[in-house]
Amino acid sequence: NKKPLLTYRHRAGQSQSSQTPRKLLLRLRTLAFERTVLLSQKWDKFVVWGAGRDGKDFVKALSDDARKKVVCMVDVDHKKIATGHYTYNERDIHIPIVHFSLLAKDLKVREKLQEAYFSQVDNEPGRISKQRPNAVTNAVTKGETSEHPRPRKKFKVCAVSDLDTAILPTLPIVVCVAMYRTNGALERNVASVDRTEGQDLWHFS
């Protein structure tokens, strides 16, 4: 009979990982990512997908040299895009935030994604819906009727002038958004920009 070489016993509240601060784990994971991906694949520039908490924490955890390689962050939230940059003065971070469609290699795909973005008329245009697939929403707000929809606002895919968007379709991507929590929307968006996982597409969340 074969005997196990190692037996691992987990006790609630007593495991090393459960007692390790989240920020320390983040720094260790980021360091490992820099060594195994950024250095081994010799990335000169790359893009961070997600300008939310996870994306910002990842950027802050990067070493100064690695952070200089971040060309921009991409998102679907028009409010974040409208701000222009993610700024964190304590570490002199000032990174552009743009719409993810600018990463698409195929021009027709890019235009289609942007058309869908511009056509949004919800209260939060561009956001990924986290509702269940069969959920029914009412787009008519108080004081409005479906015959008189609210006027559309103008949204930009890029609100900054200090970014060469022409290079974005060629850059590798690090996705800092949790998968499988958006009814497939995030997965479809990532697939639309045409990258190969493990080569020029990595998930860090």
Side-chain angles (χ1 to χ4, degrees), residues 103-117:
L103 301 176
K105 294 181 179 180
D106 188 294
L107 178 58
K108 291 183 178 179
V109 171
R110 195 182 317 151
E111 292 175 344
K112 186 175 181 180
L113 291 170
Q114 292 176 5
E115 181 181 353
Y117 173 62

Side-chain angles (χ1 to χ4, degrees), residues 140-157:
V140 179
T141 61
K142 185 177 180 180
E144 295 179 335
T145 66
S146 58
E147 289 78 14
H148 299 87
R150 289 166 294 157
R152 292 181 180 177
K153 298 180 181 179
K154 292 183 178 180
F155 301 105
K156 296 181 179 180
V157 293

Side-chain angles (χ1 to χ4, degrees), residues 15-92:
S15 69
Q16 184 65 36
S17 59
S18 66
Q19 298 179 31
T20 304
R22 185 183 72 87
K23 289 186 177 181
L24 175 57
L25 288 174
L26 174 65
R27 288 198 297 270
L28 294 174
R29 292 177 59 224
T30 304
L31 178 61
F33 182 83
E34 288 188 29
R35 291 176 176 176
T36 59
V37 179
L38 296 186
L39 294 180
S40 64
Q41 298 198 16
K42 298 180 180 180
W43 287 3
D44 293 326
K45 300 176 181 178
F46 68 99
V47 173
V48 174
W49 187 308
R53 186 198 68 175
D54 291 347
K56 292 175 181 177
D57 284 349
F58 172 70
V59 168
K60 288 187 289 187
L62 289 169
S63 64
D64 291 340
D65 289 339
R67 195 182 303 118
K68 292 176 182 177
K69 298 180 180 181
V70 179
V71 174
C72 69
M73 304 173 78
V74 302
D75 209 280
V76 295
D77 185 351
H78 73 102
K79 292 183 179 179
K80 294 174 183 175
I81 296 169
T83 63
H85 295 83
Y86 163 51
T87 301
Y88 187 69
N89 292 327
E90 289 184 17
R91 298 189 185 177
D92 195 26

Side-chain angles (χ1 to χ4, degrees), residues 19 44 52 80 84-85 93 95 107 124 127 130 143 159 177 183 204:
Q19 298 179 31
D44 293 326
K80 294 174 183 175
H85 295 83
I93 298 174
I95 302 174
L107 178 58
E124 296 296 335
R127 283 186 179 274
K130 296 185 179 180
V177 181
N183 296 322
F204 190 100

